[in-house]
Amino acid sequence: MSKNPYEILGVDKNASDADIKLAYRKLAKKHHPDLNPGNKEADQKFRELNAANNLLSDKEKRAAFDRGDIDMVGQPRQYQQQQQQYRYRDFADGSRGRRYHTTTDDFDLSDLEGLFGGFGGRAGFGQASLDVHYIIEVDFLEAARGAKKRITMPDGKILDITIPEGVDEGQQLRLKGQGKQPSGDAYVKVHIKPHPFYTRTGNDITLDLPIALHEIVLGEKIQVPTIHGPTLMTIPKGANPSAMLRLKGKGVKGGDQYIKLKLTMPKTIDSELEQMIQKWSETHAYNPRKYMEAAT
């Protein structure tokens, strides 16, 4: 097996985190044992990919490898030299070292970004075999405002997780020392459930707000929902039905909330409204498409 994780993933030593993630996903999908049943070469390649990714996706381990402090499996170079009389297989399988093989527990091919679909996953080898990976689903508002979550691991261990305010989709949280042993870590990948009417871009929130005809024409102070609770907002008199209004500081972590007005007509137009609009149209020569006609 090559001892260089950059060569295994086919990336340059100066590759960005995004480049490494992309290369890993592409190669892991190609060599995944479930897609190559009985292919020992693919299985070995997959194990190498996991180990390379586990090392390069950890900033501290990557820096240590680049300095020459540790080898591919995370062992100090000095330790590797002292143990060079042992064959690699003996080291991997023997009691003096950790096993490097992977398992197929709970692997989800639909989640190739982290290559872990719940607990277990393919842990790679070396230190990574002591880590556990987990995907947690949180509500939109929990991700926006922050929350406390409690999960129970397969071995019955309970983990209390703090979801930070403004956590992003796919962000991975590290729980140090919460892996299979105290020296292993738990990595929790966050999946955010969509909200029925809020959308988020960065720290800004957007909301399509239904507005009645009289609120547009006359102007009105109305109550508007925000991720922090309802607040009052003034609809300007004669506002354009597609106008975008801003509520400063009502987004995520000091971001803003944008209100897009959406004129909503009643299901039925009664005779009173019809007559009033008819009379108004006969006395007012308002044509909102006049500028289009002049340009054609």
Side-chain angles (χ1 to χ4, degrees):
M1 181 187 73
S2 172
K3 299 294 184 179
N4 191 319
Y6 296 102
E7 293 178 2
I8 292 174
L9 293 178
V11 297
D12 184 80
K13 188 175 182 179
N14 297 320
S16 66
D17 292 343
D19 291 336
I20 290 171
K21 180 185 290 186
L22 181 63
Y24 175 55
R25 292 179 64 182
K26 181 179 179 181
L27 292 171
K29 183 176 181 179
K30 177 181 178 182
H31 297 285
H32 188 271
D34 289 351
L35 301 179
N36 299 273
N39 188 332
K40 294 182 179 180
E41 291 184 2
D43 186 71
Q44 177 65 21
K45 181 66 175 178
F46 187 78
R47 282 183 272 174
E48 293 179 357
L49 291 169
N50 266 320
N53 181 67
N54 285 330
L55 190 150
L56 295 183
S57 61
D58 186 306
K59 292 183 179 180
E60 294 180 2
K61 293 179 182 177
R62 181 179 180 181
F65 179 84
D66 289 345
R67 292 193 303 267
D69 295 343
I70 62 174
D71 62 12
M72 179 67 184
V73 297
Q75 294 288 355
R77 294 290 186 182
Q78 182 179 3
Y79 178 86
Q80 183 188 35
Q81 293 169 1
Q82 292 172 347
Q83 299 299 322
Q84 64 183 350
Q85 69 269 29
Y86 293 100
R87 292 183 297 114
Y88 183 79
R89 172 65 67 176
D90 292 337
F91 175 82
D93 289 342
S95 60
R96 297 177 61 86
R98 302 185 183 95
R99 294 178 62 85
Y100 67 81
H101 71 279
T102 59
T103 63
T104 57
D105 299 343
D106 299 328
F107 189 88
D108 184 0
L109 279 174
S110 65
D111 182 30
L112 285 168
E113 179 177 351
L115 265 294
F116 295 99
F119 285 101
R122 293 181 175 265
F125 53 87
Q127 172 63 32
S129 65
L130 300 180
D131 297 338
V132 293
H133 294 255
Y134 176 69
I135 295 177
I136 188 171
E137 190 173 60
V138 300
D139 292 332
F140 183 94
L141 294 178
E142 290 178 326
R145 300 186 298 213
K148 300 286 187 180
K149 304 288 283 186
R150 173 167 288 185
I151 60 174
T152 302
M153 298 175 65
D155 61 1
K157 184 177 181 179
I158 295 176
L159 293 181
D160 289 315
I161 302 175
T162 298
I163 304 298
E165 178 186 5
V167 66
D168 293 319
E169 169 65 28
Q171 185 173 336
Q172 189 165 253
L173 309 178
R174 180 188 180 192
L175 303 180
K176 192 172 182 179
Q178 297 298 322
K180 295 178 183 178
Q181 294 181 17
S183 57
D185 300 327
Y187 291 88
V188 181
K189 182 179 177 182
V190 177
H191 171 62
I192 303 174
K193 293 187 287 187
H195 196 276
F197 47 83
Y198 291 127
T199 57
R200 176 182 167 188
T201 304
N203 288 337
D204 293 334
I205 298 293
T206 301
L207 168 69
D208 287 347
L209 186 68
I211 297 294
L213 179 62
H214 71 278
E215 293 171 329
I216 285 285
V217 174
L218 304 176
E220 193 83 29
K221 180 172 283 189
I222 63 173
Q223 185 170 277
V224 176
T226 77
I227 63 172
H228 304 289
T231 189
L232 290 176
M233 183 183 73
T234 299
I235 305 298
K237 183 178 180 179
N240 192 301
S242 61
M244 186 82 79
L245 307 180
R246 184 177 72 151
L247 293 175
K248 189 175 181 179
K250 294 298 183 180
V252 178
K253 298 173 66 175
D256 302 326
Q257 177 164 312
Y258 290 89
I259 307 296
K260 185 175 182 180
L261 303 182
K262 185 178 180 181
L263 177 61
T264 304
M265 296 296 293
K267 292 183 178 180
T268 58
I269 304 297
D270 59 32
S271 58
E272 182 180 3
L273 177 59
E274 184 177 359
Q275 291 173 10
M276 180 180 64
I277 296 299
Q278 180 66 40
K279 182 177 180 180
W280 184 90
S281 66
E282 291 172 353
T283 56
H284 294 75
Y286 173 65
N287 180 2
R289 297 170 300 282
K290 187 175 181 179
Y291 74 96
M292 290 184 175
E293 296 172 356
T296 57

